[in-house]
Amino acid sequence: MDTSENSLQEPGVEAPVGGDPLDPLALLDALPEDMDTAVSRALDAMEMRYVIHGADIDLLLQAGLRMEVVEAGTPHFVPHAPDWCDGLLNLRGELLPIIALHRLLSDSPDSMEKHTAYLLVIRPADSAAVAITLQRLPEKIRFTEASRTPLPSGIPAGISVAIPAAYDYQGRVFLEFDHIALLDSLQEGPSTQPG
């Protein structure tokens, strides 16, 4: 039985001449074209981030977030709910609180309520899922092309706790959106809407 290093190679992959047959870089070079394309696509996906928009503010979602977008229907009313809660979403039998993003981002939320066309369902790894109102579908950007910039003034008070950083991307300012910090701050808030 042959137990040399050459017997450990992948079938059909030739070792480079004069090189170590188990050299990882040489093995990567020997990958078939379609495998190389798959690796390239995976690396590209790691660079991509999603942006949500509301009240002329662009919020950059965290990388690796488990989420889905659904069409906004009629939410289930919740009496004495906090200002930020737009009711409950029944998503395949799961009841999720709806965070009215437009109320947190704007001083005049009534003008924006009719524009809620979608809901972004976020499923954090260590807490319950929530839905966030959206004016339009999230936008995908290549985060590696963004550069950090100072936080702008005038970030709405309702969301400032959830904005740790800002980035410039092709002349637009994207605010990093820490949804966990936002959820924590909302749970502490005492304000409620009339029921």
Side-chain angles (χ1 to χ4, degrees):
M1 182 171 177
D2 181 14
T3 58
S4 68
E5 286 184 347
N6 286 336
S7 67
L8 299 176
Q9 288 178 209
E10 289 289 324
V13 176
E14 295 180 18
V17 177
D20 179 1
L22 295 179
D23 177 17
L25 295 176
L27 289 174
L28 277 177
D29 289 339
L31 286 174
E33 181 84 21
D34 57 342
M35 178 62 112
D36 191 36
T37 303
V39 169
S40 177
R41 282 190 194 144
L43 291 173
D44 282 349
M46 289 168 55
E47 296 177 358
M48 302 308 280
R49 299 275 293 273
Y50 287 93
V51 175
I52 57 176
H53 183 80
D56 297 324
I57 295 174
D58 293 313
L59 298 174
L60 181 67
L61 298 177
Q62 295 174 333
L65 203 56
R66 289 181 55 220
M67 61 184 178
E68 66 179 298
V69 175
V70 297
E71 288 188 14
T74 304
H76 298 283
F77 177 71
V78 178
H80 306 291
D83 289 344
W84 56 263
C85 183
D86 212 19
L88 293 175
L89 167 68
N90 183 345
L91 183 64
R92 299 181 293 273
E94 181 181 16
L95 292 177
L96 309 176
I98 300 172
I99 297 174
L101 186 63
H102 54 274
R103 290 195 194 118
L104 297 173
L105 294 177
S106 176
D107 292 331
S108 57
D110 294 336
S111 63
M112 296 180 62
E113 294 206 28
K114 60 180 177 254
H115 298 299
T116 300
Y118 303 98
L119 295 173
L120 175 71
V121 177
I122 297 178
R123 298 184 178 282
D126 54 355
S127 62
V130 296
I132 297 176
T133 59
L134 295 180
Q135 291 176 284
R136 59 183 188 233
L137 290 172
E139 174 184 354
K140 191 186 278 191
I141 67 154
R142 188 176 297 279
F143 182 66
T144 51
E145 296 173 7
S147 57
R148 193 161 183 157
T149 187
L151 282 173
S153 60
I155 296 174
I159 202 164
S160 60
V161 69
I163 308 297
Y167 296 90
D168 179 73
Y169 177 79
Q170 298 178 354
R172 294 166 63 190
V173 175
F174 291 154
L175 303 179
E176 182 87 33
F177 181 48
D178 182 350
H179 62 282
I180 298 295
L182 178 65
L183 296 177
D184 289 345
S185 73
L186 293 178
Q187 290 176 359
E188 297 166 6
S191 64
T192 59
Q193 51 190 350

